Every structure is written in structure tokens, then in C-alpha cells.
Amino acid sequence: MRSERARHNKIIFSGTVGAGKSTAIAALSDIPPVSTEAVASDETAALKRTTTVAMDYGVLNLPDGEKVMLYGTPGQERFSFMWEILSEGGIGLVLLINNANTDPLKDLENYLAAFRKFISGTAVAIGVTHMDRAQEPGLDAYRQKLADLGHDPLPAVFRADARNREDVAMLVKALLYTLNPGLIDA
Amino acid sequence: MSRHTHLPGQPLTALYLLHAGSMDARLIGLSVERHWKHSVRLVATLDEARVVLVDCDRPGVEAAFEQLGQHPRTGVVCYAFHPKDHAPRFPNRVILGKPLNLESLPGILAQAANDTARQVAVAPPRPQAAPETPPANFSSKPAALGHGLKMDDERDLCGAMDDIPLTAGATLPEKLFFDPDLYLIGHLSRAVEQAIVSGRPHVISGLPRLIGVQPRPLPICVTAFRDNQLRPFSMTQLPNTTARIVSSLIFSESVGTDTVYGAEDFLWNIAAWAARGRLPLGADPYQRVRLKAWPNFTHAFVSPHALRIAALWTRTWASPVEIATRLAIPHRYVFSVFSSAQFAGLLDRDAPAVTPPVIAPVVAPTQQQRPSILSRILRKLLNAV
């Protein structure tokens, strides 16, 4: 029997520390997101004051009363054991990459590898954040990296501001259309 | 058709720009100077005018109309982005849609001038001075322009072109295509290309605002044009010699630190606005192509159905007509994406020699459990944002 968590409709938000997962969920959620952020005590502290040590989630309330859970995974890799559990039964993955990190393309590679099995059965849309602080690598470099990793067709890669609801919604919409281009949008 | 349209013996139409912005004034001035000098003459005062052109989108337009009360013999032609919105405010006025069709505008101006003069001539004398300006009722005529009172948002973005035949062979209508060289996109495309090839910044000058192109480290475009200026400017045909592309050593000083756009996003948007549902000259609507990648839709212009088109076209070699057929949407929406993708460098034309047959039409969402929840999420996002 599938767990309660697995039976929910849910969209997974994952990505590197400081990429804006919690912020993105807050931008989209219909409820104040439940977060388990704590004061960062390791190398993460150099990047942000608090970090998600377990998970956080928000909710999209659909008009028919149904709910879509927005799950954010912890960014720190030592919590990666949770990623598979959280993503079980998910609709798809919104992956946020902090472009101001030392090697964001390597981050992209690592996260795609970690979610390879999940993505192969669903879809991924990628948001590159903090491009105002770090212009490079550009979107073309991300596309090239994805091609090098064998992604064909390439998933959607957008420049994104996690604080901006429209940007986050655009990522989710791209994810949905990737799953089914025949969705009616009007 | 020559742009110097002029009927023998017909007087020049004295045109006064009553409430037009400086950019419009400059563009119209250039058009008069270079293409309409045998049919239109710009005049400096309202007293000299036989017809006035009024921009309804600019603040203070009511005050502008008040001036016309003293000039009942002067024809009035208005223009606006959304003519329908202004129709109740200015009933019985000719309200053209933006962008103005430069081919037909001189004729419309002349007709407005002549009709108004004729109406005034046959009207019974009024006891009061300063009569209200007689209406120049063109409600049944702007249709010939292809825009006007019937224009709505969708038409603004993707035009109103009918679908073309599903298979090649028939002669395609000329209006299906646009010549990029007549629009900003042609100049911009060349500037970006030259900047990248030379590795040096380039500037497009001769326009009301400069547009700079910086090729490194990532191609960007910088301009003082605001978004609400760029769109109409991109839609408008520019006289051939208006813009000049020059190499610039001192990019930052020549252009300033105004709005910065990724070159790909900028090219995508400018092309979409120029295309308005048409294809660039020389494009083959039956040739199979593919999108190399999704455009950056958080910054790139999202025309109707663009997300669906991108999702399908990044995974399938298909012609524009095939994509439209599979998604059951009008061809013009796909042509819009095609045009943008071409100029943004996102179009892959190197189809494999043997492309797999185009797969069946996209499954209706109600036939599966997943599309059902996906559709509901999508509807939620569309309503919420």
C-alpha cells in the first residue's frame, strides 16, 4: 500500500543550497509554507543564514477542492537520502540551480544524476537563479551541458527569480506541458 | 505597389500630428519625407491642416480633442493599441489599430480629409459658431486595413491570418510573409551577428533611441527604449535608410546603462512583434525543423500556445503546419514561434535524412488520469498569475 505522502499530487522542488527552493514554494503556495529551516552550522553558513534541514512544503488549492503539494527537498547533499522518498509519486521536478555557486554546471549534473530515475518517469524543468549576481554560465552553457549528458529533447531551462511568482509558475507550466503538450491552456 | 501612391491632380493632404509622441512624429516624418512626399505634407499648425492624426493612448487626449472644436473642416484619424477600448470614448471616430499600416495610411488620411470637407459643405448652416466636429464615420471601411475597430489582443500579437493548405503545392499568399529588412528585427539581427563575428560592440543608431549589442562575455542588448516603446516600434516598418549599424569601441559611453536584455530574449521578442503571426520571407511552412531548446520564457514573449508549441517542437521534427495540426491550433500561432526561433537562433533545420513519421495528434487530456490533474493545475496557475 502506498503511503499517504505518495498518494498526494505533488511537485518536487529541489536544487542547490541557496538556489531559492523555499522561496519559490512560498511564492507559489496558497498557504504559508511549512518550513523546517534552521540556522546553518556548516559550510552552508557561508552561503545563507538558514537552510532547510528536512523539507518544506506548500499547497496549491485547486478549484475542485483537490490539493497539490509543493515539496522542497533539503539542499544539503547529506540529506539526499530523503530526495527519493519525497519524490515518490511526484508529478515532476522543478530543479533550481544557484548560478552564483562555484560550479553550477557540476551542480546541475549531480542533481540530475540523483533524480535520474524520477525524471525518467516524469519530467524536469530547470530554473537558473541568481543570474543577476553571476551572469555566467549562461543558458546556452546549461543547454550544452544537458545535451552532453544525453538529454534529448532538452528540458526547459529558464532564468528565474525564485521570489517572483510568475517565474516560478512559468517553470511549473513548462513542466506540465513537457509532460503533455496537448494540455489545453485556455 | 509603389509607396508613392498619388492620384494625379489630387492635392497634398495637409497632415497635423495633433497628439502624437515624439517617436511617432519622427517615424511619420521620415515616412512623409521618403515615401509620401507626393501625397502628404506635414504642417506645423492645426489651422493649416486638412486632417489630424491623434494618438488615443497618450494621456491628455481629451484636451487634444477640445482643440478640434474650432476646426470643423478638419478630418480626424485616431490610432490606438486597442481601438475597441476607445470607441465608446470617441464614437464615430476612425480609430486605427497600432501599428499603423504605412501603405494604406496616406489614403485613409486623404479620405478622412475629403469626407469631412464634403460633410461640412452639405451640412445645413448652424446658427452657432464653433460647431462640433462632424463625425467622419468610417466604421465600415477600416476592415480594408486588416485592423481597426475589430482588432483585439490576440490580433495584436499574432495577426489574423487564415490557415494555409495542409500540403505544399498551392501558391501561398504574399501576406503570409514579412521582410525582416523592413523592420527593426532585420537591423538588430545583423547587429548581433556582426558583433559576435567581430567580437566588438555594435550600436544601431538613427532610431529615436540607441540599441547597443555587447557580444561578450554573453551577448546582450542594451537600450533606453522602454518596453511600451519597443513593441510598437518593432511592429512598424522602418524606412530602409533609417537605421545604421556601427561598430563601437566605447560601448558603455555610447549607449549608457539602460535596460539590459539577453540577446536571445531580445531577438525573440522583437521578431515576435514584427512577425505578428507571419513567417520571415523565404521560410518554408512545410519544411521539417525542430526547436533546439526552449526559449527563456521567463523573459521571452509568450504568444498564445507558445508553451505547448515549444514542448512539442523540442521533441519532434515537424513543419510549422504539422505542429499546428497536431495541436489543433491556427497556423499563425506556430508561425509566430517559428519567426522568433529563427532570429533567436533556436531553430534547427538540419533534419535527419529520414525523419520518423509525425506521430498521431496529441492525446486529449480527458482520456488519461494524469492529464486531468495536470490540466487542473495548469488552469489554477493561469488563473492565479
Side-chain angles (χ1 to χ4, degrees):
Chain A
M1 181 179 154
R2 299 174 73 194
S3 68
E4 179 69 18
R5 186 171 56 246
R7 279 189 283 111
H8 282 141
N9 301 309
K10 59 188 179 186
I11 297 171
I12 311 303
F13 287 73
S14 191
T16 51
V17 172
K21 299 178 293 295
S22 304
T23 307
I25 289 173
L28 204 58
S29 176
D30 289 327
I31 63 163
V34 178
S35 183
T36 53
E37 296 225 324
V39 175
S41 59
D42 54 9
E43 70 279 5
T44 305
L47 298 171
K48 54 188 282 199
R49 286 176 60 84
T50 64
T51 190
T52 303
V53 294
M55 64 173 196
D56 49 7
Y57 67 88
V59 174
L60 273 182
N61 290 318
L62 302 185
D64 55 8
E66 203 164 3
K67 294 181 188 302
V68 178
M69 314 302 290
L70 309 172
Y71 279 81
T73 69
Q76 295 153 303
E77 290 198 24
R78 68 173 183 272
F79 292 105
S80 60
F81 66 91
M82 296 182 64
W83 297 351
E84 191 171 341
I85 301 168
L86 284 173
S87 58
E88 183 188 346
I91 289 170
L93 174 68
V94 173
L95 180 58
L96 299 177
I97 300 293
N98 183 347
N99 212 43
N101 276 3
T102 308
D103 191 351
L105 294 179
K106 188 65 180 172
D107 293 336
L108 174 73
E109 182 176 354
N110 290 342
Y111 275 82
L112 290 175
F115 283 93
R116 186 175 54 84
K117 188 176 168 188
F118 176 63
I119 293 170
S120 68
T122 58
V124 60
I126 298 162
V128 183
T129 62
H130 300 292
M131 288 192 87
D132 52 338
R133 285 168 45 206
Q135 291 181 25
E136 294 184 89
L139 294 187
D140 265 345
Y142 280 87
R143 293 166 181 156
Q144 185 59 53
K145 183 71 176 181
L146 288 162
D148 293 345
L149 293 172
H151 288 263
D152 184 14
L154 297 182
V157 186
F158 300 155
R159 175 178 177 158
D161 180 343
R163 298 164 299 183
N164 186 324
R165 182 184 172 92
E166 289 187 27
D167 283 10
V168 180
M170 185 59 76
L171 283 164
V172 175
K173 282 189 273 188
L175 179 69
L176 299 177
Y177 281 118
T178 301
L179 288 162
N180 183 0
L183 289 177
I184 303 300
D185 59 356
Chain B
M1 183 180 96
S2 165
R3 289 190 186 169
H4 295 279
T5 47
H6 174 61
L7 297 176
Q10 192 175 39
L12 293 178
T13 305
L15 169 66
Y16 179 67
L17 302 177
L18 175 61
H19 194 62
S22 58
M23 191 189 315
D24 287 5
R26 182 163 180 194
L27 283 171
I28 292 167
L30 282 169
S31 298
V32 169
E33 179 186 324
R34 298 177 189 188
H35 300 294
W36 305 340
K37 58 188 174 188
H38 301 302
S39 56
V40 177
R41 175 173 62 94
L42 275 178
V43 295
T45 66
L46 184 54
D47 291 335
E48 303 170 71
R50 289 187 64 226
V51 64
V52 297
L53 194 57
V54 187
D55 184 348
C56 292
D57 292 331
R58 302 190 71 222
V61 66
E62 287 85 359
F65 271 105
E66 285 177 12
Q67 297 180 51
L68 291 171
Q70 305 295 324
H71 299 82
R73 290 180 176 276
T74 306
V76 181
V77 175
C78 307
Y79 66 111
F81 261 122
H82 303 287
K84 276 195 302 193
D85 296 347
H86 295 282
R89 297 168 66 201
F90 309 116
N92 300 320
R93 296 287 188 195
V94 183
I95 307 180
L96 305 176
K98 292 180 183 177
L100 290 170
N101 183 328
L102 295 182
E103 295 285 351
S104 53
L105 187 59
I108 292 169
L109 294 171
Q111 191 161 5
N114 293 337
D115 287 4
T116 303
R118 196 161 44 241
Q119 287 175 24
V120 170
V122 300
R126 295 185 178 190
Q128 303 292 327
E132 186 180 350
T133 308
N137 189 350
F138 276 74
S139 59
S140 62
K141 294 182 181 174
L145 292 172
H147 55 191
L149 292 175
K150 291 180 181 174
M151 192 165 86
D152 56 19
D153 283 351
E154 189 175 297
R155 230 169 142 168
D156 241 6
L157 307 175
C158 289
M161 183 79 64
D162 290 333
D163 287 353
I164 61 174
L166 297 180
T167 52
T171 303
L172 297 173
E174 280 185 25
K175 63 180 182 179
L176 174 65
F177 301 97
F178 72 101
D179 182 353
D181 289 341
L182 300 179
Y183 293 87
L184 176 60
I185 185 61
H187 302 289
L188 179 65
S189 178
R190 280 194 299 278
V192 171
E193 185 181 342
Q194 289 174 21
I196 290 173
V197 168
S198 67
R200 294 171 60 183
H202 278 60
V203 170
I204 305 175
S205 64
L207 307 176
R209 306 274 188 282
L210 289 176
I211 297 176
V213 180
Q214 179 90 278
R216 294 173 182 164
L218 298 170
I220 56 169
C221 298
V222 182
T223 184
F225 272 115
R226 295 191 300 273
D227 264 354
N228 62 352
Q229 296 171 319
L230 264 177
R231 187 165 137 183
F233 198 74
S234 305
M235 290 173 159
T236 307
Q237 289 186 21
L238 301 176
N240 286 337
T241 53
T242 301
R244 294 182 305 281
I245 300 169
V246 292
S247 179
S248 169
L249 288 173
I250 319 170
F251 178 81
S252 57
E253 288 183 14
S254 59
V255 177
T257 53
D258 300 299
T259 311
V260 178
Y261 302 85
E264 180 189 297
D265 301 342
F266 199 60
L267 286 161
W268 178 281
N269 292 350
I270 302 296
W273 293 329
R276 298 179 67 235
R278 297 173 294 174
L279 291 168
L281 211 55
D284 180 356
Y286 301 105
Q287 181 192 355
R288 286 188 173 170
V289 296
R290 195 171 82 150
L291 289 188
K292 292 177 184 172
W294 285 69
N296 176 31
F297 274 135
T298 51
H299 291 75
F301 177 71
V302 185
S303 55
H305 301 287
L307 288 160
R308 303 175 67 199
I309 294 167
L312 185 58
W313 225 348
T314 48
R315 68 176 71 171
T316 306
W317 289 98
S319 72
V321 170
E322 287 171 333
I323 290 289
T325 303
R326 288 199 52 202
L327 293 174
I329 58 178
H331 295 177
R332 59 182 180 271
Y333 299 135
V334 185
F335 296 163
S336 174
V337 169
F338 180 98
S339 297
S340 287
Q342 173 172 312
F343 287 100
L346 292 176
L347 207 58
D348 189 349
R349 298 175 187 276
D350 298 327
V354 180
T355 54
V358 175
I359 47 181
V362 178
V363 177
T366 53
Q367 294 175 355
Q368 293 181 357
Q369 185 181 1
R370 168 158 283 168
S372 175
I373 182 65
L374 298 187
S375 291
R376 293 202 298 279
I377 298 171
L378 182 64
R379 193 167 299 120
K380 162 79 177 182
L381 293 174
L382 291 171
N383 291 336
V385 175

